Amino acid sequence: MRLRPAQGQCPELAVFEYDEVRDARLFEPVAAAVEELAPGIEVVRPGLVVVAAQGPVRYYKSAEQAAERLVDHVAVRAGVEAQVGFADGLFAATLAAHRGLIVPPGGAAEFLAPLGIHELDQPAEHREDRTELVDLLRRLGLRTLGAFASIPERDVATRFGRAAVPAHRLAAGLEERPRSRRRPPPELSVTRHLDPPIDRVDAAAFAAKSLAERLHTGLADRGLACTRLGIRATTENGEELHRVWRCADPLTPQGIADRVRWQLDGWLTRVRLTSGIHQLRLDPEEVVDATALQLGLWPGAGQDQGEAAERAARAMVHVQGLLGPDAVLTPVLGGGRGPVERVRLVPWGDERTPAADPDQPWPGQLPAPSPATVFAEPEPVALLDESGADVVVTGYAELVVQPHRIVHAGRARQVVAWSGPWPVDERWWDEETAMRGARLQVLGTAPDGEELAFLLIRAGGKWAVEGVYD
Amino acid sequence: MSRSATATLTALGVGAAGELTTALARTLPVRGELAELLPWGGLRRGSTVSVRGSTSLLLALLAAATAEGCWAAVVGLPRCGALAAAELGVAVHRLALVPRPGRGQSEVEKTVAALLDGFDLVAVATSVTRATSRKLIARARHRKAVLLPFAVPWPGADVELTATPGPWTGLNAGHGVLSTRTVTVRATGRGAAARPRQARVPLPGAGDAPTRRPTLIPLPAPAPASARSPAEAV
């Protein structure tokens, strides 16, 4: 429902922005209440928790009894109303829970068949690709899950692409992926001792990020990605906390970090802990082969479509698996004055945004051509006048004397031509990052006649090489 | 191809004929002066072309192919200037840099091999052993990629391009800006490339980047330091 009609029906309505952290925090008591009755819960997202039904159903004699107990218990403990549904598989069970139904074992396909095709696109999952697929299917006249499921899987794959295959499996009442998941070896778990123990949310977020990177790197080295993540925390007084998160898509480092942060947030603010958390451990409880799913992980990573882009993307992900995520960089051109600052090197898979707006005017920007070799950390160099003294640039960005000799990497060259200085006076309003200096193009000739053009920058009273035109 | 077969391909969603031909093109394009140097009139897929003497020459070799949709990777060249690449005509959004391809020989070999699987052009500026270089040449031939060893000895290359940069134009004592220079490139090699060729290539070339020339204001002749106002020097 849109906001205006909703307010029309309920004028007292208060509207909040979507905030996963808040949702996770508020959901923690519900998850905790369910866990008291049914051990081994998995949180799919804030608001949805799955439990293997076998245990509770047997204990409470019937599915109806178990559902009633769960609803009661959540209401007492967390003060909210819960809905419970039973079915084979996560997707069918979620839809059953929306309707408060108990679907008998083996009846998932039959239960799903008459439901609308829009059920494939659960708004809470925020999946753009699903929205597009559902829209397409509806326009093609496939209005129910049953109609979609009746198409052979091979035809779905050829007509709608690989992304549609999991959706097709869901519509047919199957699990999203075939059951080929393997139990990961225990050494893939990562543990971190936190000293001092954390008791604040911001510290938790920081710890989550570094731990998530480590877990992901370890998995990527083996070509794996995690679909079920176990988070285990131990407090100083020995309290053990454990929660499993389950995901439809393999988790990216950011995805892992988010879930750890949400979970820690929930524990720190909602559960009465007697002391801070001093040990944190992440277990990949279920992993899938990363390569098959890799391209889907970062939609929109490259603007290019097509087979060549796909092959290149796969190769880059492979290299990232070998050397780490920062090993493969793609340049993004942006605004700025020097050749170094105009290029931002983005690890493959990250968002390709320039560091500075290239469309702004950049007075003092160096004209093309740019040096083919650039030094991200400028290398010291000596630029000397005829008497052997340092060449100084005045506050008016003028050279006081003519440069005569340039000594770089132990090699002296005679300066035959130069130009500039191009003054640089950046961010003078900010003491930390302010930068005042001047750039100079210098052409030097070695005794053997070899000519080399340098781009020099002077800052803090010292010359340095920023680039070589080779 | 018969009419009905064409119709079926279209129905299957296979792209236009142009797409098919580029996918199967045996030779990747390079700009005019460089094409004359190469026995195949371009970079033949599966070949190894070693480059020495000029980073600009390497980037210029990547330019035309990436502009037409090929992907290029540059390995072991942490100081590769992406801005210069863009000015020479490289489509930088199809350029990947792997500045540090691992520590040992085996890691370098694995990295380059993985890149040869997916990229059309792979430039390598890390020195490798004779055995590794042979393996990578074979890999490039097998995967129909072009291997471009840069500034490292690489026995077994099909063609070796050696650049000798000439004098720069545009820069004078105290004024002007660097504009262009003529690089003499000498090609030697085996087989079809056995006859040595030589060409003079302007780098950057006239048609490369839309160069923005600032209005040039000649600087006043330098005066003794004492005559300057005491403004803070930088």
Side-chain angles (χ1 to χ4, degrees):
Chain A
M1 191 184 271
R2 296 250 161 215
L3 177 60
R4 295 304 295 184
Q7 282 175 329
Q9 298 208 352
C10 176
E12 307 85 41
L13 190 69
V15 180
F16 295 95
E17 289 284 319
Y18 171 61
D19 178 359
E20 286 170 319
V21 179
R22 176 202 61 212
D23 291 357
R25 191 166 58 222
L26 294 176
F27 188 64
E28 178 57 27
V30 180
V34 175
E35 194 170 30
E36 284 172 25
L37 292 190
I41 67 162
E42 292 170 20
V43 182
V44 178
R45 57 171 182 264
L48 184 62
V49 48
V50 289
V51 184
Q54 206 181 15
V57 168
R58 191 175 299 163
Y59 186 80
Y60 295 108
K61 304 291 189 286
S62 72
E64 287 84 356
Q65 293 270 350
E68 204 178 308
R69 282 284 300 160
L70 278 170
V71 172
D72 281 354
H73 194 72
V74 169
V76 169
R77 286 299 168 102
V80 293
E81 197 182 330
Q83 282 175 296
V84 181
F86 290 81
D88 295 339
L90 174 60
F91 177 66
T94 309
L95 297 190
H98 288 170
R99 294 164 178 76
L101 289 176
I102 295 166
V103 179
E110 203 182 318
F111 158 67
L112 292 172
L115 299 179
I117 195 78
H118 64 272
E119 298 285 1
L120 280 176
D121 176 33
Q122 293 292 321
E125 287 180 4
H126 299 279
R127 294 184 62 161
E128 296 277 334
D129 55 332
R130 255 329 140 65
T131 314
E132 276 173 34
L133 176 68
V134 165
D135 189 43
L136 176 63
L137 294 175
R138 189 182 294 135
R139 283 185 283 132
L140 289 173
L142 297 167
R143 286 167 205 282
T144 62
L145 293 175
F148 184 37
S150 65
I151 303 173
E153 180 166 314
R154 197 162 43 156
D155 292 347
V156 171
T158 42
R159 174 62 183 82
F160 302 104
R162 211 168 43 194
V165 172
H168 180 256
R169 291 183 61 85
L170 292 181
L174 302 168
E175 282 288 325
E176 193 155 358
R177 274 183 297 272
R179 288 196 178 276
S180 64
R181 303 172 182 192
R182 19 185 170 149
R183 193 112 194 120
E187 69 265 23
L188 286 175
S189 301
V190 293
T191 309
R192 184 167 170 193
H193 292 275
L194 302 158
D195 188 28
I198 51 170
D199 47 10
R200 286 194 339 270
V201 174
D202 53 342
F206 186 72
K209 194 162 171 357
S210 66
L211 206 56
E213 287 283 349
R214 264 176 55 201
L215 179 71
H216 183 79
T217 315
L219 288 171
D221 282 350
R222 290 160 179 255
L224 300 174
C226 174
T227 50
R228 234 170 59 179
L229 173 72
I231 305 170
R232 203 179 286 272
T234 315
T235 66
E236 277 184 301
N237 291 350
E239 291 159 288
E240 287 265 1
L241 301 154
H242 179 232
R243 182 60 41 85
V244 176
W245 285 76
R246 173 206 268 256
C247 300
D249 284 329
L251 286 165
T252 57
Q254 185 60 46
I256 299 172
D258 279 345
R259 277 160 187 84
V260 177
R261 186 163 52 92
W262 300 341
Q263 189 56 55
L264 290 178
D265 196 3
W267 282 333
L268 289 171
T269 51
R270 280 302 169 131
V271 182
R272 298 264 168 268
L273 296 178
T274 50
S275 59
I277 294 171
H278 92 125
Q279 193 187 4
L280 195 58
R281 177 186 161 106
L282 302 185
D283 301 309
E285 302 231 327
E286 193 175 73
V287 293
V288 290
D289 199 6
T291 45
L293 300 140
Q294 218 87 48
L295 294 173
L297 273 177
W298 298 296
Q303 289 88 0
D304 279 80
Q305 299 294 324
E307 196 240 334
E310 203 163 305
R311 275 192 312 133
R314 213 173 291 140
M316 286 190 268
V317 170
H318 187 175
V319 174
Q320 283 180 320
L322 288 170
L323 304 173
D326 291 339
V328 184
L329 306 169
T330 56
V332 184
L333 305 186
R337 296 183 176 83
V340 176
E341 66 200 40
R342 280 174 68 187
V343 175
R344 188 172 155 236
L345 295 174
V346 184
W348 170 251
D350 283 8
E351 203 179 340
R352 287 174 54 90
T353 45
D357 186 358
D359 296 330
Q360 295 291 321
W362 292 97
Q365 188 179 64
L366 287 172
S370 300
T373 299
V374 296
F375 296 76
E377 296 291 325
E379 269 193 7
V381 67
L383 187 68
L384 309 169
D385 66 6
E386 219 156 352
S387 66
D390 188 30
V391 173
V392 176
V393 180
T394 69
Y396 297 111
E398 286 168 8
L399 290 180
V400 176
V401 289
Q402 301 204 351
H404 181 70
R405 245 167 14 108
I406 177 166
V407 186
H408 174 240
R411 196 150 187 220
R413 289 162 202 268
Q414 178 95 27
V415 174
V416 291
W418 73 93
S419 183
W422 283 268
V424 185
D425 194 359
E426 289 176 341
R427 297 180 292 274
W428 43 263
W429 55 89
D430 183 349
E431 268 183 38
E432 299 273 310
T433 61
M435 145 91 189
R436 192 158 170 273
R439 288 199 172 88
L440 198 66
Q441 282 184 342
V442 173
L443 192 58
T445 322
D448 59 10
E450 186 216 344
E451 205 178 70
L452 196 57
F454 296 91
L455 175 66
L456 305 186
I457 184 160
R458 185 178 175 87
K462 286 193 176 61
W463 287 108
V465 178
E466 206 180 13
V468 174
Y469 299 83
D470 65 341
Chain B
M1 189 181 281
S2 76
R3 212 187 138 87
S4 62
T6 320
T8 323
L9 277 179
T10 318
L12 284 169
V14 172
E19 262 181 64
L20 278 171
T21 42
T22 30
L24 299 171
R26 304 257 315 267
T27 310
L28 304 180
V30 293
R31 56 184 247 206
E33 306 94 334
L34 294 170
E36 288 167 20
L37 284 168
L38 298 162
W40 320 287
L43 294 166
R44 185 172 55 93
R45 282 182 181 274
S47 65
T48 301
V49 177
S50 106
V51 182
R52 288 161 176 275
S54 167
T55 313
S56 302
L57 174 64
L58 175 71
L59 298 174
L61 281 169
L62 305 178
T66 56
E68 292 205 355
C70 292
W71 283 71
V74 178
V75 181
L77 200 62
R79 288 169 176 170
C80 177
L83 189 59
E87 287 166 1
L88 286 163
V90 177
V92 288
H93 60 276
R94 281 193 285 270
L95 178 69
L97 307 175
V98 184
R100 282 163 202 87
R103 284 173 296 275
Q105 280 290 319
S106 73
E107 247 183 340
V108 174
E109 188 187 322
K110 272 189 212 160
T111 304
V112 178
L115 291 169
L116 285 170
D117 287 352
F119 282 78
D120 305 290
L121 301 133
V122 180
V124 181
T126 310
S127 52
V128 295
T129 59
R130 190 173 272 270
T132 306
S133 77
R134 250 201 316 271
K135 274 188 218 162
L136 292 175
I137 287 173
R139 182 81 164 211
R141 193 175 303 136
H142 178 61
R143 306 301 311 203
K144 299 271 175 284
V146 181
L147 180 63
L148 298 154
F150 175 66
V152 285
W154 203 280
D158 295 303
V159 182
E160 196 163 304
L161 299 179
T162 312
T164 317
W168 277 94
T169 61
L171 196 65
N172 298 302
H175 61 95
V177 285
L178 288 173
S179 152
T180 183
R181 88 200 125 140
T182 305
V183 178
T184 310
V185 185
R186 196 179 149 76
T188 50
R190 311 179 299 130
R195 187 172 62 85
R197 308 176 191 215
Q198 191 162 313
R200 290 158 64 78
V201 185
L203 283 177
D208 273 341
T211 39
R212 273 200 302 170
R213 289 259 170 263
T215 349
L216 299 177
I217 306 157
L219 282 170
S226 55
R228 301 266 137 209
S229 74
E232 187 193 348
V234 290

